[in-house]
Every structure is written in structure tokens, then in C-alpha cells.
Amino acid sequence: MKLSKRFGLFAAAAAFTASTAVLAAPTFINILTGGTSGVYYPVGVALSQLYGKNIEGAKTSVQATKASVENLNLLQAGRGELAFALGDSVADAWNGVEDAGFKAPLKSLRAIAGTYHNYIQVVASADSGIKSLADLKGKRISVGAPKSGTELNARAIFKAAGMTYEDLGKVEFLPYAESVELIKNRQLDATLQSSGLGMAAIRDLATTMPVTFVAIPAEVVAKIGSPAYQAGVIPAGTYEGQTADVPTVAITNILVSHAKVSDEVAYQMTKLMFDNLPALGNAHSAAKDIKLENATSNLPIPLHPGAERFYKEAGVLK
């Protein structure tokens, strides 16, 4: 065989190998969640399992984070493919609200779906004597990690109630589990947490000691002045010892991706989620509130084209 012909065959084989390698390249899907004792994390794990099993070539991972604000900044930087975030944080990210933790508008963000609601849950030890928002004055409270979605919620609620952090005796910026441990140890009086109903850390606290759930009245919710904040209720019996409904604030959670995620992957992520809602509900009861008919309502950022394709096929969008 002539040298030139042999070289040509080798070149063709090398090109075929290279193209095969490209076709076989894995699809990385890193899911950004929140603290491991919240709702985002177990639902994120359930999604990761679905995607790893059903998206060809997918390599999935789940990252515990400080939730909304960190997740959205990581998405913009291309360090994740799917993230959970509160609706008000998503709007602030799109608009580049610096005080909310966004130095510039995050215009790469794309919505996958509106999901279940977070409920602001203000829980205090019964011994603290706290029964209303006004009773928090002079008390020790945790409000979530600094500039997290929860902490931004806390600021908005206290402002609407005519209060600031300066009115409180001591403010800690801690995630769910740490806040609960400090209440158990009598080092904190209360915690404000933004999460789905039945959240593990609050369940743990309510079964360990007598607690009081503090109402956020509808008139306070109205004074916040944002469509992201709606009046809601923590139903009686959600937690041990909670014998009555508790008025509070409800905020929609949004699953967010970014523009560099392929349309096909975004389509598959959206479809697999809605085709397997019972599995997500098994991961955490809050996910049972995810409804296809609500998935595209009141989103503050554009839909990902891949997700939009799914909703058109499903008849949700024209």
C-alpha cells in the first residue's frame, strides 16, 4: 500500500474517532439546590435521578448551596444547568438589583417552570412569649444566610410591618438546621424560614419542644407591594402541636436554567419533571403542589425555548 494512501486511511480513521468522541460527549447537568434540610435539596436529588436515568449520556450532580441568590449567580456564570430560586429573587436577578445580591442584570437566565410555593414560616419557642410580629422586638431571631432568598424575604416582611433589624435584640444569619439547633439550645428565640410546607428542620423543632407559629397578616403582605408576595396559609396540622391555620406569605418557586443549555436538554428536563410528578412528591410533600397548568404563569424571566416547546406540545401555551 502506498504511503499516501495509508496516511489517508489513518486520517479518515482519526477523524471518525474524533467525531464519535464528540457525539459521545456526556451532558453535564448540575442541579443547584439549597441547604440539605430544606425542600430544594431532596427535590433536586429526585430530579437528578430522573435525568441521569432517562437523558442519554447525562452526568448529573446535585449541589447544596445558600439557595436562590447564590444559585442564580452560579447559573449566570455557567456553573450549573438547573436551579431552584424564589420568584422575587429571580425578578431581582433579571433586573440587576445590587442590594439583593446581583451586581448586574443576569440576562442569561431562562425559566423552566413555576413550581410549588414557599411559605414564610416564623416559628418561636413557646417559652419566648412571642405570639405576633410585634413581639419579635428585642428578641433573638435567625433570618437565613445573608442576602439569601429567605433573608431578602425577612427584610421585606419586617419593613411592611414597620420594623427593621435594629428593633430586634439579636439577628443571626444562619440556614435552617443551624437556626433550629440554636432554638433548641435556648440561644435563639425564633427563626424566619422560607420553605415548602412540612420542612424537615421545623418538623424536628416542633416535635422536640413546644413552639408558636407567628402569623403574618394579609394587611402586612399587601404593604410589601410586590406581586411575588401573596397571602397564604400554613394549614392546621402541618406541624406537631399546630392546631390552627396560620396566615402568612406565599412566594412561587421557579426552576431556572440559562441560555447556553441546549434546547433539547431543556425540553427533556421539563418533560421528565412533569411526566414524573409523583416521584417528586415522594421526595418531599411540598412538590405535590407542582401543577402543569400553573407552570408558565407570572414568570419574571423568559422561558427557555426547550421548555416552551414542551408547554406548546402539552397544550399549556398556544
Side-chain angles (χ1 to χ4, degrees):
M1 183 183 293
K2 291 183 178 180
L3 183 61
S4 60
K5 187 174 182 181
R6 290 174 61 193
F7 178 80
L9 288 172
F10 284 135
F16 176 78
T17 301
S19 66
T20 302
V22 170
L23 289 172
T27 298
F28 292 101
I29 302 175
N30 184 32
I31 302 176
L32 306 168
T33 59
T36 55
S37 62
V39 178
Y40 288 173
Y41 189 82
V43 178
V45 169
L47 285 172
S48 173
Q49 293 168 346
L50 280 173
Y51 298 160
K53 188 176 181 180
N54 295 287
I55 298 178
E56 187 174 357
K59 300 291 184 184
T60 62
S61 57
V62 180
Q63 184 174 338
T65 68
K66 295 177 182 177
S68 298
V69 177
E70 181 180 9
N71 289 353
L72 296 167
N73 282 310
L74 287 171
L75 278 182
Q76 179 72 20
R79 293 171 59 189
E81 286 64 50
L82 187 68
F84 293 82
L86 284 165
D88 58 324
S89 293
V90 176
D92 287 342
W94 184 256
N95 294 315
V97 178
E98 188 169 358
D99 192 48
F102 306 105
K103 294 180 179 179
L106 306 189
K107 295 301 186 182
S108 183
L109 301 180
R110 297 293 183 270
I112 293 296
T115 59
Y116 62 92
H117 283 95
N118 260 26
Y119 292 82
I120 304 301
Q121 300 170 70
V122 183
V123 57
S125 66
D127 290 344
S128 70
I130 297 169
K131 296 182 179 179
S132 69
L133 288 176
D135 292 339
L136 291 169
K137 292 180 178 180
K139 301 294 187 178
R140 303 165 298 175
I141 185 171
S142 173
V143 294
K147 291 189 176 179
S148 63
T150 295
E151 199 258 318
L152 297 178
N153 296 160
R155 283 193 234 169
I157 290 162
F158 288 140
K159 181 179 179 181
M163 298 165 61
T164 70
Y165 287 163
E166 292 180 359
D167 293 313
L168 306 174
K170 181 181 182 181
V171 180
E172 296 281 3
F173 298 90
L174 298 169
Y176 303 148
E178 288 88 337
S179 301
V180 162
E181 288 305 311
L182 289 179
I183 293 176
K184 288 181 185 178
N185 295 331
R186 305 299 196 273
Q187 294 172 279
L188 276 180
D189 298 307
T191 180
L192 182 151
Q193 304 197 3
S194 177
S195 179
L197 296 175
M199 199 264 285
I202 297 179
R203 282 206 319 268
D204 174 43
L205 181 63
T207 56
T208 302
M209 62 192 296
V211 296
T212 301
F213 289 86
V214 179
I216 302 174
E219 56 268 26
V220 171
V221 181
K223 287 179 181 177
I224 296 172
S226 168
Y229 292 79
Q230 300 291 325
V233 172
I234 303 171
T238 300
Y239 299 100
E240 188 167 321
Q242 182 210 342
T243 58
D245 290 350
V246 180
T248 191
V249 181
I251 306 167
T252 298
N253 284 291
I254 301 175
L255 272 173
V256 186
S257 187
H258 61 80
K260 291 185 179 179
V261 171
S262 75
D263 291 0
E264 181 59 26
V265 169
Y267 171 82
Q268 291 292 341
M269 289 195 301
T270 311
K271 179 175 171 55
L272 284 166
M273 179 177 72
F274 285 105
D275 284 351
N276 294 275
L277 288 179
L280 302 189
N282 289 337
H284 197 286
S285 59
K288 293 178 181 178
D289 289 334
I290 300 175
K291 308 292 183 187
L292 177 60
E293 58 269 26
N294 300 331
T296 62
S297 300
N298 301 316
L299 297 174
I301 60 174
L303 274 171
H304 195 293
E308 185 175 5
R309 173 186 151 202
F310 167 75
Y311 293 124
K312 286 180 178 178
E313 288 182 359
V316 176
L317 294 175
K318 294 182 179 180

